[in-house]
Amino acid sequence: MEEELSEGCRGKAMTAAKVATCSAPVNIAVIKYWGKRDEKLILPVNSSLSVTLSQSELKATTSVSVSKDYESDRIWLNGKEELISNPRLQSCLQQVREHCSDPTLAGAHVHICSKNNFPTAAGLASSAAGYACLVYCLAQVYDVKCDLSLIARQGSGSACRSIYGGFVKWDAGVHDDGSDSIAVQVAPASHWPDIEILVLVVSDAKKEYSSTIGMQASVETSELLKYRAKCVVPDRMTQMETAIEKKDFQTFAKLTMQDSNQFHAICLDTYPPITYMNDTSRKIISLMTKYNSLQDEIKVAYSYDAGPNAVLFVESKNVPELLSLVKHYFPPTEEQSNYFHGVDLQGIKDLDKVCCYAEHVETQTAALSCFFVVE
């Protein structure tokens, strides 16, 4: 979480306004969160674990100002004023105000300005970054001292994991009041700096089924979800934490792909079935599976959240080869001059010649919107 003082969304000059601005990262779950045991408190049916992405390419930025001169609470998202009556937003505001340590702010209103530098509602965890950013800023101006992951969780479940960097787990907890359902950092990013994350943006369109609606349907109809929560996730969480501790990429990669596959199997097991991936998503899975099969080891792991966009985990030494492979099978069009983000292609010699496996991997080409490389 990055923080700075800013004029933010103060607008016209107001007296005695407290202002804070911060940015928050996207996180990608390698052990997925899907389904709630309590809709109001946002308590998950199973624990989850994520990797926090670098803010260099993907982040949410929020400015919050609070003043008794404001007539009402207001919010702007990506430059457009929105209704502030959203129940989850109201829940976060209520929780922050209840934990406020500054008595002079009683009765004061807030103005909030938030923006993403990546598509919203396209399966790239925009709500996680947005609510983590919002809660952190609110905590600064209201002088809140409690565990912020408890509050961020009530805006968007995954937001609690974006409060921290590196590798973060969200404990499902067992208490009915949710007091033990918190995010905990498993390891800082510096623990395993050799992992790179590549995001293949298949589509930036808003998804047909929101995660909230999808989760509710799965909890109500999927027997696989119940089996996963009880019999699969507990052991998988332990194995993943051990893999991270030992920097065991082979185990980390295999578990990541297995969990992604199972999550989407639950979506298909839901009635009526939910489909977040599209044909291009499946072509990426096919390509990565065939690519790994030609190696003596797993070189890349894929993961998909509730959307068609692929997240690839790869060790730094294998990034040039993977870039070449993706560029070969998912070539940019003439109009896509800004296709690669976050990578210095000048530093990679003969990109089109790096991958010696492309000719051995038989799959169809397809189109991507753009391609992010983040740490």
Side-chain angles (χ1 to χ4, degrees):
M1 191 76 67
E2 297 175 358
E3 177 194 359
E4 61 180 0
L5 291 178
S6 166
E7 289 301 307
C9 53
R10 185 180 299 183
K12 295 181 179 180
M14 294 286 180
T15 59
K18 291 183 66 176
V19 185
T21 295
C22 78
S23 60
V26 168
N27 73 77
I28 300 297
V30 290
I31 304 296
K32 304 295 187 186
Y33 148 57
W34 193 251
K36 307 178 189 71
R37 61 183 174 91
D38 188 306
E39 286 284 344
K40 183 178 180 181
L41 296 178
I42 317 295
L43 301 180
V45 298
N46 63 265
S47 297
S48 57
L49 197 151
S50 64
V51 181
T52 306
L53 276 59
S54 165
Q55 295 192 41
S56 60
E57 296 295 329
L58 302 171
K59 66 180 178 180
T61 303
T62 298
S63 292
V64 170
S65 63
V66 58
S67 172
K68 289 188 174 182
D69 291 329
Y70 294 150
E71 296 180 357
S72 63
D73 296 334
R74 299 174 69 185
I75 186 169
W76 292 260
L77 299 178
N78 294 316
K80 180 182 178 182
E81 185 165 10
E82 303 283 352
L83 294 175
I84 202 164
S85 56
N86 180 292
R88 293 192 179 185
L89 177 57
Q90 287 297 316
S91 178
C92 289
L93 284 170
Q94 179 184 345
Q95 289 292 314
V96 166
R97 284 166 169 157
E98 287 178 358
H99 288 86
C100 178
S101 302
D102 187 348
T104 66
L105 294 179
H109 291 290
V110 295
H111 283 185
I112 303 164
C113 289
S114 184
K115 64 180 181 179
N116 300 327
N117 67 345
F118 56 94
T120 299
L124 287 174
S126 58
S127 62
Y131 273 106
C133 203
L134 170 65
V135 169
Y136 187 84
C137 275
L138 287 171
Q140 303 311 300
V141 295
Y142 278 100
D143 195 23
V144 174
K145 304 299 184 183
C146 72
D147 186 335
L148 297 185
S149 73
L150 284 167
I151 301 177
R153 185 198 75 216
Q154 297 187 48
S156 172
S158 299
C160 68
R161 298 192 308 250
S162 279
I163 293 291
Y164 302 102
F167 303 85
V168 183
K169 69 176 178 179
W170 174 16
D171 284 324
V174 295
H175 297 160
D176 290 340
D177 65 357
S179 58
D180 58 345
S181 184
I182 59 174
V184 179
Q185 187 182 67
V186 174
S190 58
H191 168 72
W192 201 354
D194 193 40
I195 286 187
E196 300 278 349
I197 300 172
L198 285 62
V199 181
L200 279 58
V201 181
V202 173
S203 172
D204 57 7
K206 185 176 180 179
K207 55 196 177 188
E208 183 178 358
Y209 300 100
S210 70
S211 296
T212 298
I213 292 174
M215 286 187 198
Q216 289 173 347
S218 294
V219 168
E220 292 171 1
T221 65
S222 174
E223 291 299 320
L224 181 55
L225 180 145
K226 299 178 180 66
Y227 173 80
R228 163 183 160 77
K230 181 179 179 180
C231 303
V232 178
V233 172
D235 287 342
R236 196 168 278 176
M237 285 286 293
T238 300
Q239 293 172 37
M240 183 62 83
E241 288 189 57
T242 300
I244 292 169
E245 179 185 359
K246 295 182 177 180
K247 304 176 188 177
D248 177 1
F249 185 77
Q250 295 301 296
T251 301
F252 172 88
K254 184 178 179 180
L255 290 171
T256 295
M257 292 185 284
Q258 288 178 322
D259 208 72
S260 177
N261 293 343
Q262 190 173 67
F263 158 55
H264 288 278
I266 288 172
C267 292
L268 291 177
D269 188 51
T270 300
Y271 186 81
I274 302 168
T275 302
Y276 287 113
M277 294 191 292
N278 60 22
D279 288 343
T280 301
S281 307
R282 288 182 279 273
K283 287 175 182 177
I284 294 170
I285 291 177
S286 177
L287 176 61
M288 298 308 149
T289 301
K290 293 173 181 177
Y291 172 58
N292 282 331
S293 70
L294 292 171
Q295 321 295 320
D296 293 329
E297 59 182 3
I298 300 174
K299 282 196 171 183
V300 60
Y302 60 79
S303 183
Y304 291 81
D305 280 345
N309 302 306
V311 178
L312 306 180
F313 297 86
V314 61
E315 292 177 291
S316 300
K317 63 183 179 182
N318 295 321
V319 168
E321 189 169 271
L322 188 58
L323 284 173
S324 179
L325 188 69
V326 173
K327 186 172 181 286
H328 179 84
Y329 285 102
F330 302 93
T333 64
E334 293 182 359
E335 293 78 21
Q336 291 176 306
S337 58
N338 197 23
Y339 186 66
F340 288 100
H341 298 259
V343 61
D344 179 15
L345 297 182
Q346 300 299 321
I348 301 176
K349 297 181 180 179
D350 299 323
L351 181 63
D352 293 320
K353 300 178 181 179
V354 168
C355 183
C356 60
Y357 301 102
E359 62 185 72
H360 301 295
V361 181
E362 297 181 1
T363 190
Q364 294 178 322
T365 59
L368 300 176
S369 296
C370 57
F371 190 158
F372 292 93
V373 181
V374 295
E375 298 175 352

